[in-house]
Amino acid sequence: MTILCVRFQLPPMCEAALPGLLGLLEEFTPVVQALPPDGALADLRGAERYFGRTALELASVIRVRALALHGVDCVIGAGPGPMLARMALRDARPGLTRAVPEGEVREFLAGRPVVALPGVGTRTARTLCEYGLDTLGRVAAAPLSTLQRLVGARTGRELHEKANGVDRGRVVPNAVSRSLATERPFTRDELDPGRHRRALLSAAEELGARLRALDKVCRGLTLTVRYADRSATTRTRTLPEPTAHSAALTGAAYALYEALGLQRARVRSIALRAEGLDPAERASHQLTFDPVDEKARRIEEVADRARAKFGPRAVMPGTLAA
């Protein structure tokens, strides 16, 4: 168990604290991968040898320091690889690290539904379930050739390996500053898709305004939906062109949400992240000769000037799309 997946329990809209918490992890290892808006992966192989402590013991120290220095509790999953650490995190609770020992990987995976495996979407899960492969144990026992016929050669091979506990992932150090995020928590676990979409609209408009204020564009968008049982689903989409246009971000956010195929899901919060930020002057915009699109962009310019003069609440969320 050398990989930790840490989720800091940050208050809503407090993503600015994440870089400092990443710095806390970097006191133990330089191999830290940010998982905005509130998490990180840390490879502790070198730290175990250097400090003479196990990953679980170091996890306890990390939790105590996060509370003492930042006033932030955290939940931690530990495993022999990034995938297993992420999956262990779903079972973790504050004050208790959920660990998956290397010798218990198959047992840990066997009874879990196929959608619990990172990278398995609703369409792939539906296909597998139609053939009775509804748990990872059954997928692991299925012949590789059968999986490849069902979901394709490459996907079938990856699925077979992951279901058998083969984790080829690596912790890749990255920079949290190359992205922007915002989150919309609900006051209660929300079932209404209409409210979900309104939260997405508000979040996309906020991201667009922040990007334009920084003279930035983004190349991708990531949606994270957190549920009442503390689990979460994350999906990422590359945009057709780098943009800071709120309408384009909203369309991409809606597409990501619809692709999840949520059925009466009890949603606790929705977060959007703009990925791959670049200076706006380096981006090109494909002309559409669409008067509606041009009008929306002019309205955005007026709204941005109003925000700059009167504050961020000068324009109510959702009014630009009206």
Side-chain angles (χ1 to χ4, degrees), residues 20 125 135 146 223 234 266:
T135 66
T146 299
L223 168 67
T234 300
R266 296 170 59 200

Side-chain angles (χ1 to χ4, degrees), residues 175-300:
V176 70
S177 60
R178 285 183 57 79
S179 59
L180 286 176
T182 186
E183 186 171 7
R184 293 294 184 271
F186 295 106
T187 55
R188 62 181 181 180
D189 298 333
E190 186 57 66
L191 292 167
D192 185 4
R195 292 183 180 275
H196 299 167
R197 290 175 66 88
R198 286 196 287 274
L200 285 170
L201 172 62
S202 171
E205 288 192 353
E206 179 188 328
L207 279 184
R210 290 169 63 187
L211 286 167
R212 294 190 297 274
L214 295 171
D215 289 325
K216 299 282 188 180
V217 292
C218 68
R219 290 183 279 109
L221 197 65
T222 295
L223 168 67
T224 300
V225 180
R226 302 197 188 283
Y227 307 105
D229 62 357
R230 296 177 181 268
S231 65
T233 302
T234 300
R235 293 290 184 270
T236 299
R237 173 167 296 195
T238 301
L239 300 174
E241 63 180 18
T243 186
H245 186 26
S246 293
L249 296 174
T250 301
Y254 284 168
L256 284 166
Y257 174 80
E258 296 298 335
L260 294 179
L262 300 181
Q263 299 292 331
R264 299 288 294 172
R266 296 170 59 200
V267 175
R268 182 156 294 177
S269 69
I270 289 176
L272 277 182
R273 169 165 292 279
E275 307 277 4
L277 305 191
D278 288 317
E281 63 267 17
R282 297 184 185 175
S284 59
H285 167 52
Q286 180 66 43
L287 297 177
T288 63
F289 301 103
D290 181 358
V292 175
D293 181 71
E294 293 304 317
K295 179 181 178 181
R297 291 177 184 273
R298 289 197 296 271
I299 292 174
E300 276 184 352

Side-chain angles (χ1 to χ4, degrees), residues 75-200:
V75 290
I76 303 176
M83 178 193 77
L84 292 163
R86 286 173 183 256
M87 296 181 71
L89 179 69
R90 299 174 187 174
D91 297 338
R93 293 293 181 269
L96 179 65
T97 299
R98 176 63 168 99
V100 183
E102 195 159 359
E104 300 177 11
V105 170
R106 286 178 176 270
E107 181 182 348
F108 172 76
L109 294 174
R112 296 176 181 268
V114 290
V115 292
L117 200 65
V120 175
T122 54
R123 183 178 301 177
T124 300
R126 189 181 304 116
T127 299
L128 293 170
C129 289
E130 287 174 355
Y131 289 87
L133 302 174
D134 55 345
T135 66
L136 293 178
R138 292 177 177 176
V139 172
L144 174 59
S145 58
T146 299
L147 294 175
Q148 290 179 322
R149 283 197 299 271
L150 292 177
V151 298
R154 180 177 177 181
T155 302
R157 186 183 307 109
E158 292 178 352
L159 184 61
H160 189 262
E161 288 184 347
K162 290 179 178 180
N164 279 281
V166 179
D167 189 352
R168 300 188 185 278
R170 297 184 301 112
V171 179
V172 181
N174 59 3
V176 70
S177 60
R178 285 183 57 79
S179 59
L180 286 176
T182 186
E183 186 171 7
R184 293 294 184 271
F186 295 106
T187 55
R188 62 181 181 180
D189 298 333
E190 186 57 66
L191 292 167
D192 185 4
R195 292 183 180 275
H196 299 167
R197 290 175 66 88
R198 286 196 287 274
L200 285 170

Side-chain angles (χ1 to χ4, degrees), residues 21 261 291:
L21 293 165

